[in-house]
């Protein structure tokens, strides 16, 4: 056998060995545990943490109810879709996600972005056809899964933090200003920030004072409850874990109420609306309207909808990238703080699913 033939034989054997080892590693137990992180943390879960997790789950669950309704409004979707998106993702993320400290659901930035793409179905352009939001979520999920499988999670490392900060700040201003008309109880159709500004002052005389009073009162209540939460947290830290229960109990109760302040406000406001309705004065205040009960029928997205690319446009690329970037930034922050690791590509797959 010549040296050339020997070299070729060795190369072939080396290639076969690499392929064999690659297949072996891919189907190994450790590899599949990496793909399903629940297989790593669940066997190590301590029952002593159960009560704390239940309290945390209830607190977050109560909070995402009003948040989901609000974010659905920002996304220009029927309110019930805010509730759907608030809990469905968490069930999947429990098996595939790597961060124990984040919740998967609607956010202000993502809702604002979704609201930019879709097909209006009302005269004011405030509600879009949910068919296109479902299609957007479907295609964005596929995009993120493909990015995760092809190990492209590193791409977001090249997006400037300054750009993200600027985008977040502008989004906050846009969202905040866009909600002023709802607080004033006035309605108009507008597509841009400038036109929002113009129509707001044009229709300012149509302000519904009951809506304004209720809106300002709600803002003050939330600010007061947030102050109470921060104050109670400072007091609890000062008392320490070894402090007497009778001293900690009222501060802990205030902290829980402050943490779930959004849900507390919704319950109080709903009670006020019930009393107002009983007195026959409900017509003076704008209500969200009926929220459909139950779950929608499980069926594939309507891929035959008209003009999908026209309505979804560049959102098919922007939304999955921004959504992942928003998630991974928070997840890695908590991971550094609490001493565990989060892998970008696995997070992409978890979010995409």
């Amino acid at each position: 056998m010549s040296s050339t033939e020997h070299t070729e034989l060795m190369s072939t054997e080396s290639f076969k060995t690499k392929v064999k080892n690659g297949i072996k590693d891919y189907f190994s137990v450790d590899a599949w545990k990496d793909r399903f992180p629940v297989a790593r943390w669940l066997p190590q879960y301590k029952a002593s943490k159960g009560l704390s997790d239940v309290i945390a789950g209830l607190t977050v669950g109560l909070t995402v109810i009003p948040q989901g309704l609000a974010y659905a409004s920002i996304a220009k979707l029927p309110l019930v879709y805010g509730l759907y998106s608030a809990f469905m993702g968490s069930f999947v993320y429990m098996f595939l996600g790597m961060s124990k400290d984040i919740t998967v659901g609607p956010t202000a930035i993502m809702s604002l972005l979704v609201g930019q793409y879709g097909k209006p179905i009302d005269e004011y352009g405030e509600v879009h056809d949910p068919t296109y939001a479902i299609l957007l979520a479907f295609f964005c999920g596929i995009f993120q899964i493909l990015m995760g499988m092809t190990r492209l999670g590193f791409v977001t490392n090249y997006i400037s933090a300054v750009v993200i900060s600027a985008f977040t700040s502008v989004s906050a201003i846009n969202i905040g200003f866009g909600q002023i008309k709802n607080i004033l109880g006035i309605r108009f159709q507008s597509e841009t920030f400038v036109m929002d500004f113009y129509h707001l002052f044009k229709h300012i005389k149509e302000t519904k004072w009951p809506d304004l009073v209720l809106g300002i009162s709600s803002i003050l209540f939330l600010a007061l409850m947030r102050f109470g939460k921060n104050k109670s947290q400072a007091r609890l830290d000062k008392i320490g874990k070894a402090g007497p229960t009778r001293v900690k109990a009222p501060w802990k109760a205030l902290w829980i109420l402050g943490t779930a302040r959004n849900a507390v406000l919704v319950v109080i406001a709903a009670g006020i609306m019930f009393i107002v309705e009983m007195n026959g004065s409900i017509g003076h205040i704008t209500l969200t309207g009926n929220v459909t009960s139950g779950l929608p029928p499980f069926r594939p997205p309507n891929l035959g909808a008209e003009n999908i690319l026209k309505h979804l446009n560049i959102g098919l690329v922007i939304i999955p990238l921004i959504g992942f970037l928003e998630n991974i930034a928070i997840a890695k922050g908590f991971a550094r703080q609490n001493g565990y690791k989060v892998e970008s590509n696995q997070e992409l797959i978890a979010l995409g699913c």
Side-chain angles (χ1 to χ4, degrees):
M1 181 183 294
S2 65
S3 59
T4 303
E5 292 176 339
H6 182 268
T7 302
E8 291 177 352
L9 180 61
M10 291 296 293
S11 299
T12 302
E13 292 296 328
S14 177
F15 176 76
K16 290 181 178 179
T17 302
K18 288 181 179 180
V19 171
K20 183 178 179 180
N21 291 337
I23 294 174
K24 184 179 179 180
D25 290 341
Y26 184 85
F27 290 100
S28 67
V29 175
D30 285 339
W32 282 100
K33 284 185 176 180
D34 289 338
R35 297 185 189 99
F36 293 90
V38 65
R40 292 194 182 277
W41 63 259
L42 187 58
Q44 301 176 7
Y45 186 79
K46 297 179 180 179
S48 58
K49 296 181 178 180
L51 179 60
S52 298
D53 285 342
V54 169
I55 294 174
L58 289 174
T59 303
V60 174
L62 290 173
T63 301
V64 299
I65 292 174
Q67 281 186 348
L69 297 175
Y71 289 151
S73 176
I74 295 173
K76 299 182 180 180
L77 293 172
L79 298 181
V80 69
Y81 283 87
L83 299 181
Y84 294 155
S85 60
F87 74 89
M88 288 300 294
S90 299
F91 289 117
V92 178
Y93 191 83
M94 178 183 71
F95 294 99
L96 300 176
M98 300 188 72
S99 176
K100 66 181 183 64
D101 298 298
I102 65 171
T103 58
V104 179
T107 64
I109 294 177
M110 293 304 295
S111 299
L112 180 65
L113 286 174
V114 171
Q116 305 303 310
Y117 307 97
K119 180 182 179 182
I121 57 175
D122 71 327
E123 60 177 317
Y124 294 102
E126 294 180 352
V127 181
H128 287 177
D129 186 348
T131 298
Y132 292 91
I134 294 171
L135 285 167
L136 181 60
F138 175 71
F139 288 122
C140 288
I142 292 177
F143 187 90
Q144 289 176 329
I145 291 173
L146 290 177
M147 283 189 66
M149 293 178 66
T150 52
R151 319 297 291 178
L152 292 177
F154 69 91
V155 170
T156 54
N157 295 334
Y158 297 97
I159 300 178
S160 172
V162 176
V163 173
I164 297 302
S165 178
F167 174 78
T168 304
S169 300
V170 172
S171 298
I173 295 172
N174 198 358
I175 293 170
F177 191 81
Q179 296 307 304
I180 293 178
K181 65 179 181 180
N182 295 325
I183 294 177
L184 298 178
I186 58 180
R187 299 186 68 185
F188 52 80
Q189 185 174 5
S190 175
E191 295 295 334
T192 64
F193 179 83
V194 174
M195 293 307 296
D196 268 347
F197 194 83
Y198 168 75
H199 284 291
L200 183 64
F201 285 96
K202 180 181 178 180
H203 296 274
I204 195 73
K205 294 181 181 179
E206 302 172 12
T207 298
K208 293 184 178 180
W209 290 101
D211 283 352
L212 179 60
V213 171
L214 182 61
I216 293 178
S217 300
S218 298
I219 293 173
L220 293 176
F221 175 83
L222 290 173
L224 182 62
M225 292 296 288
R226 181 170 183 172
F227 173 80
K229 178 204 169 190
N230 294 337
K231 182 72 174 179
S232 61
Q233 182 64 63
R235 293 291 297 178
L236 288 170
D237 291 341
K238 187 176 180 180
I239 294 172
K241 294 182 178 181
T245 303
R246 62 182 179 80
V247 176
K248 292 193 298 182
W251 291 109
K252 188 66 175 179
L254 180 59
W255 182 87
I256 293 174
L257 289 174
T259 302
R261 57 188 177 274
N262 294 336
V264 172
L265 175 61
V266 169
V267 172
I268 293 175
I272 294 174
M273 292 302 100
F274 178 76
I275 295 173
V276 171
E277 183 179 24
M278 293 294 290
N279 293 329
S281 303
I282 197 66
H284 298 293
I285 298 178
T286 304
L287 298 179
T288 57
N290 181 57
V291 177
T292 307
S293 60
L295 295 174
F298 287 90
R299 58 190 178 195
N302 182 14
L303 298 176
E306 298 180 354
N307 300 319
I308 294 177
L309 291 178
K310 175 184 176 181
H311 292 300
L312 302 185
N313 209 318
I314 194 67
L316 293 170
V317 176
I318 292 177
I319 290 179
L321 288 176
I322 297 297
F324 168 64
L325 186 64
E326 186 180 24
N327 172 274
I328 199 65
I330 299 173
K332 286 192 173 182
F334 277 118
R336 285 192 297 269
Q337 180 180 343
N338 297 317
Y340 61 90
K341 293 183 179 181
V342 171
E343 208 273 315
S344 299
N345 296 303
Q346 179 61 32
E347 285 295 290
L348 270 170
I349 295 174
L351 293 176
C353 291

